[in-house]
Structures are given as C-alpha cells and as structure tokens.
Amino acid sequence: MKSSTLILITAFLFILSTMVISFIVDKQLDPNYQKNWFAIGFVSPSGDTPDFILENHSSEHSFRYTVTSGGKILTDQPIEASNGEAISIHPNNTDLPKPYTISVFPENNPKKSESLTRK
Amino acid sequence: MDFISQQIFLFLSIGGLLFLPGFLALRICFGKKTPLNSFETTLTASALSFGFLDFLMILLGKNHILLTPYSITCILLTLLLVCLIMRKILPTPKDTASEGTKRDQLHFTRMEGSLFLLILFLTLFTKSIFLSDAAFPTSTDLGHHSYWSKGITETGTLPQYTKRDIIVESDSTEQLSKPEPIADFIIGEHLPFAALALFSGSTFISAFPVIVLFLINILSLLAYFVLALRLGEEIQKKFISFVPMHFGLIVLFLQGPLYTIASPQAKFVSGGVVGNTFGNFFIPIILLFFYRAIREKNPVFMGLAFFFTFTLAYTHHLSTLVLLFILVASIITQFLLHIHSLNIFIRDWRKIILHPVPLTIAFLCTLFFFTVAMPTYIETHAVGTALGTPTKLTRTGLTFAEILSGSGEARAVLGIAGLVLIALFARAFKNTAGLLLPWTVILLIMSMKPSLVFLDIPSNRIGSYALFPLAFLAAFVLLLLSEYLQKISLKKNLILPAILPASLIIILFVYAVGSGSSDNGGSLLSAPKSTEAVQTFAVSQFLSERIRPEDIILKDHNYLSADSFMKLFFMRDYGFPLSRGYFKRYETPGHEQCSLTMIASPNTTAGKKCLAGTGTDIIIVNPLFDRIQFEKSPDFSRIYSSPLIHVYSL
C-alpha cells in the first residue's frame, strides 16, 4: 500500500472530522438554536434615557414591559419580538423619577422576567 | 460567508500556508531525490512552513510592513525565489552521508496499511466526539491566545505583549498601571493563527483555533510514528525479526486512540494550550532530524534540526527548555556509549556540525536573534524564573503515582519495563538507546526531582512530556515479547510454552486498551457549555458597541463562562476588562485585592476606594452568585440583564 494513499486518506478523515466539529460548534454559537433566553439592556448605559433593547432568543413572541418607580406602575405595554430579533423600545415617559425599574417578561410566563434599574 | 465556503477557504489556507511553502522549499532544495519518505516529507513541509511563516512575518512586522495576505504571500514567494536562485548558483552538494540519502520509500503491507488507518480512524473518532462538545470557545487559555492573534489581524502589526493591571502602590492604594510587559506569551503561538485568519476570513469566536490545534495534534502523532520507524531500523539490526513498521504502529496505537482525550492530547487542544501543542509537534521532528543526522552522518539533517529548534524557541519556552535538557542528556549518553571509540565519535560529530549547511543556518538564526527580534521571554529576562530551586509545592516534583496517572498507567508501567530492557541492550543499538534512555530518564527526573536539575516550573507541566518516550519504551516491550512468541511458536512441539508469553501479551494488550479507553470515557464532557457562553458573548457585543472610551469594566472569572473571550470584543488591552480571578489567588501576600473587593463588597469604604482608584464604573457578574450587593447599593444601576449575566454601572 502506498504511503501517499494513506496520507490522503488520513487528510480526508481529518477534514471530515473537522467539518463535523465546525458544524456543531457553529450551531452551538447560534444564540437562537436550541436555546431559550432573552436579554434587555439600556440603549445608553451611561446616559439617562430609559430606552432599552430587547434581544429575543426564546420561543416566546409576546412580551410585556412595565416601568415602575416608588412602587407605582407608570407604564405597562406589550412588545412583539420574534425569535432572533433585537428591538429597541422607547417608553413614553419623560423625566422618570429615579430610581425606576423596567421589567420585561413573556406574556404567558411573568415569572421569567428580566429587569433594568436606574438609580 | 456560508458554512461550506468558510470551510473551503479554511482548508485552502491551511494547505497553502502550513504545508505548501515547506513542500516547495524541500522540492527546490532536494529535487525529487529527497532523503525523506512521504510521511517525513509531509511533516517536514509543515514544520518548515511554520518556521517560514513565523520568521517572515516577524521580519515584515519589524520593518513596519503591514501584515496582510498580500504582503505575506509576497514574502513567501520571495523566499522561495531566493531558494531557487541559491539552488541554481550553488554547486550540487556531494553525498556526504554514508547511508539513507537515496529516495526513501515507505511501504505498507495491506495489513499494516489497514491497521494504520484503523488506528487513525479510532483516534480521530474519539477526539472528534470529545471536541464536538469541547471545541466551543470557552477555555481561558484559548481566549488569551486568540486575543493576540486577533490583534495581529486587526492592526496588521506584531503584538506588543503588555497589559494594564491593578497594582498596589507604596502607599497601599490600588490603581491601574500603565501597560507592563508580560513574558507568558511567545509570538510563534499567535502568528500562524493570525495568518490563517487573514487568508481564510475565519473568526476566533468559532471552532477555527481548535481545528488548527487539532491538526497540529494529529501531525504530532504522525511525527512520533515516523520517529519510531527510524528508531526501529537500528533495533532491527540487533533483532532481525523486529519490524520497524510494527514498532511504529504500536507507538501510534499507544499514543493515538488510548488516553487520547487526557492532557496533553485532546484536552490541550480544546483548552487552547497552544505552545505545548506546538511543542509536542516540534520535539519529535527535531529529535528525528538530530537522530538521522547522527546515525546517517548527514549535515543537512543537522541544519534542519537547528532550524526547527530555533522555530520552537520562538514558539514555546517550556518545550524549548525540555528539548534542551533532552539534547544535553542525549549527548552525554551518546558520549558514554561511544567511550571506547571516542575519536570516531568526535570526528563524526565534527563532520556533521562543521559543515556549510548547518553552520549557515545557525549563523542566519543567530543573526535574526540579535538583529531582528528575540523571543519575549528573553527580552523580559523570564528565563531566570524557570531555573533555580523550586519555590512552590506544585513545583517540587510529582509522585510515582502521579506519573502513572499522568502518563497513562499502562504506558507508564510498560514504559518503565522498556526502560530497563533498553538499558540492557544499549550497546547493541547505541543511537536509539542514546536517545530513548536519556529522553525518558531526564523527563522523569525533571518531573519527580526537579531540584536535582534546578528547575522551578510546575511539575505536572513537565510530567505531560514524559508520556511520549514512555510510549516508545512500552511499544518496545510489547513488540519484543511478541517477537519472542513468534520465535517460540516456530519451533515444533513447543505449543505449551508458547501459550505463556501469548497470554502475557494478551493480558498486557487488554490492560493497555482497558486503561486507555476508560480514561477516554472518563474524560468526555457531560454537556456543552455553550448556553452560558453565548450570553457572555452577547453582553460583550452589546457593551462594546455602547461604552465610552473612559469606561473601565470589571468582570468575574469565577462564575462567568468564556469570560476570557470578552476582551476579543473590546480589543482595548489584554487586561480589559479587568478580572476578579480565582479566589485562591487573593491569599497570596501582596496580591491586589481591589478586583475582589469591587465585586464582593462594592459598598464598603475599601470597595469605593478601589472603584475610584481604578476608575471602574461597569461590573459584569453572574446574578446567581453576585447580585445582592449591587441591588442594595444606591449607586449601582443595572444596565443589562439576561438569565446568567447582570451588568451594573455607577
């Protein structure tokens, strides 16, 4: 058996293995693939605006957000975001009194909420 | 870029950068009459290509030429053109070797070829199963190395290995330092990845770095296989029935599918232990060429050995140190084995060293070292920290049990037996024994009694090098036993005695397979860590697009997954974001405490002083472990929130 044939077969087996590994890792890197989470963050981390972004990597499409301050709910609005979408939300509140909290949760699972606060 | 195109570009880049330049250089220098077999040609082509890439990219960078695919291609072609011109101008060298300079053919019988492929298949299969979960970019070392490589691709310049860190001033205040040099990184660990990324467009937050390390790991196995074939040729002169190919296959089997996941194999690959993986590739190649130079009295092989040693010195300091110890021990052993023919021994050495080829290569390497660039650890005088009396418990040596478990029990046990056998037959095959004996003994001394050789390095790191020569010795024992069995079975009416060595071989074989396979089974990951890591990448991307230049971020290393990759999103400094390290580190006297205090107790006087002193205003933590202290604080706002990441800002 020629050694060059063995080298070529080894190379082929290696390329096949690495393509499988790369494919699997690519899928794992996809924040939407077989994952169920969402994140929120202020558009301007160091600023004062309450504008925030919702990144949806879950199977949920319908969310709600509330803005609360001093124990009062100042805003309670629905958000629609499909899987993989990142949308910017501008709460219709001017001069929000600090501290205030913005909470986002899926409509049918309020316990699974994420919150932001400005102090 | 879609998946298939990405893969095609990657493999074309790997072929074009990591094999082709070396192959063309070999062809230009040797023509078709290369004294290397196909496997040696492939491995030498790869090692040469790594060397060319490293030194030529350093040359470009030091001359302020941007590192781009265009400039790298031009300089590689220039080098090959120079080789071609030199080949045409210089007279064809006389055949100075006494044997083995003819075109070397390597023949496999059908059985041998099938066994080779089966062993490779099992090796690749087992490693692939492990890497399919472990290749996801989370490991700390891989994140660190990827930062430097990515820096080269973004700036087109050589990296400045510096880092800003939290330091304790003389008045006990803590603040951020100016960029200080760090000796832990060596440029040869990063240039090949950068070159591949430039050519293929691969990103570092992908399987790409692990794929490259996987390739080097497989090449290192083939290098040990090839070295075994050459060592076996000399053993065959004493034991006629000792077949070098069988020796090579057993070495490949003991290093391939057995213990194939444990360090320093697939775990080093997935863990991003770049330098060690390169070292495990270069060391057998360097030993192969030194061995062939001495045995065949070929100065060209000595020149190649010099070049590869030089390349290793610019790639991994620890492997270089280990290699130097092996070479010194080997020279001393060779000297003792040839004590009765010293004149001839010294004359042969003089012939292969004091020859234009190795002298020219040594001269050019030395010129490069002093006029172009030195390795980082030389520039920062870090060598002194590795030599001396061991200063920590982890550097005082391993126990024999730790050697057994670190090298693979079966390999170590059989290897020790092989060590005794080789010592008994040392005079029969001096060159082979003169390599295997000192190689094993010096590594055992370095890992078990480092104080004897004034070594101050973590002993388990040294211990990981010992498995390679032990595998050779274990293979030697297994093959000698099977040769003995064959001899006995050829004699008539001796079936009963033949059963005894046959049983022994079967028991040893089953022991080796069982031990190696159970080690593999125990090393497989239970679940991938991708779910946590993607949240880390998401927050890093989010913040990198929104923070101001003056913002200083602190993150936690203990409870955030893939946190060492966060710096790749910011590319500000190796030490950005700042990091709360493992808790044990803070027990070291004199260690800065701010990175611990700012997360653990940000509301205390000490915490506030640290925040002010370092300028930290954004902190990233895992809310499952660190949350209450920030929620209670009137100063910290939560500016980002996901299930496993909270970001707090002042």
Side-chain angles (χ1 to χ4, degrees), chain B residues 73-112:
Chain B
T73 307
C74 284
I75 201 164
L76 280 171
L77 288 174
T78 307
L79 174 70
L80 292 172
L81 192 63
V82 166
C83 289
L84 197 61
I85 294 168
M86 298 285 286
R87 189 77 176 90
K88 297 287 182 199
I89 294 172
L90 291 173
T92 312
K94 287 181 192 173
D95 186 353
T96 54
S98 60
E99 61 178 296
T101 55
K102 296 189 289 288
R103 178 84 172 96
D104 218 321
Q105 299 287 348
L106 189 61
H107 292 289
F108 289 74
T109 63
R110 187 163 287 209
M111 175 64 88
E112 288 163 354

Side-chain angles (χ1 to χ4, degrees), chain B residues 67 84 97 131 276 335 372 377 400 406 432 434 485 504 549 572 578 585:
Chain B
L67 296 169
L84 197 61
L131 289 175
N276 227 126
F335 187 84
V372 182
Y377 54 91
F400 188 65
T432 299
L485 167 70
L504 181 60
R572 281 196 190 179
L578 300 173
R585 293 201 172 188

Side-chain angles (χ1 to χ4, degrees), chain B residues 108-278:
Chain B
F108 289 74
T109 63
R110 187 163 287 209
M111 175 64 88
E112 288 163 354
S114 304
L115 273 174
F116 175 86
L117 288 174
L118 178 65
I119 292 169
L120 256 301
F121 174 77
L122 285 173
T123 306
L124 286 168
F125 180 73
T126 313
K127 285 186 199 283
S128 298
I129 289 180
F130 173 75
L131 289 175
S132 61
D133 280 338
F136 187 88
T138 54
S139 85
T140 305
D141 279 356
L142 193 60
H144 293 332
H145 287 297
S146 296
Y147 171 81
W148 296 114
S149 298
K150 189 179 180 196
I152 297 170
T153 63
E154 287 194 350
T155 63
T157 59
L158 298 177
Q160 298 296 319
Y161 292 111
T162 58
K163 152 186 181 183
R164 294 187 75 189
D165 213 346
I166 299 175
I167 52 170
V168 184
E169 296 287 5
S170 50
D171 58 356
S172 301
T173 56
E174 296 185 36
Q175 59 186 40
L176 269 184
S177 70
K178 290 181 186 165
E180 298 289 333
I182 39 179
D184 296 341
F185 298 103
I186 306 118
I187 200 158
E189 295 174 302
H190 308 126
L191 290 171
F193 292 94
L196 286 170
L198 282 170
F199 278 77
S200 66
S202 299
T203 65
F204 289 92
I205 313 278
S206 69
F208 154 63
V210 169
I211 299 291
V212 177
L213 290 176
F214 188 22
L215 171 68
I216 298 166
N217 180 238
I218 298 299
L219 289 176
S220 70
L221 292 179
L222 295 177
Y224 284 109
F225 168 69
V226 162
L227 179 59
L229 294 179
R230 291 297 179 187
L231 297 179
E233 283 172 359
E234 199 191 14
I235 299 174
Q236 194 179 39
K237 289 181 180 167
K238 168 68 181 174
F239 301 105
I240 295 167
S241 55
F242 189 97
V243 181
M245 181 59 72
H246 297 174
F247 184 50
L249 287 172
I250 297 178
V251 166
L252 189 65
F253 177 71
L254 290 174
Q255 291 190 3
L258 299 188
Y259 309 100
T260 196
I261 296 174
S263 305
Q265 300 281 1
K267 276 200 173 163
F268 270 23
V269 169
S270 67
V273 188
V274 175
N276 227 126
T277 306
F278 272 104

Side-chain angles (χ1 to χ4, degrees), chain B residues 5 65 68 89 124 126 154 162 175 188 212 261 298 316 335 342 373 376 383 419 445 473 487 494 501 514 518 564 580:
Chain B
S5 322
I65 298 170
T68 64
I89 294 172
L124 286 168
T126 313
E154 287 194 350
T162 58
Q175 59 186 40
V212 177
I261 296 174
N298 191 322
H316 192 225
F335 187 84
L342 265 182
T376 336
V383 176
L419 186 66
I445 292 174
L473 296 169
K487 224 185 218 179
L494 285 172
S518 71
S564 71
R580 178 178 74 171

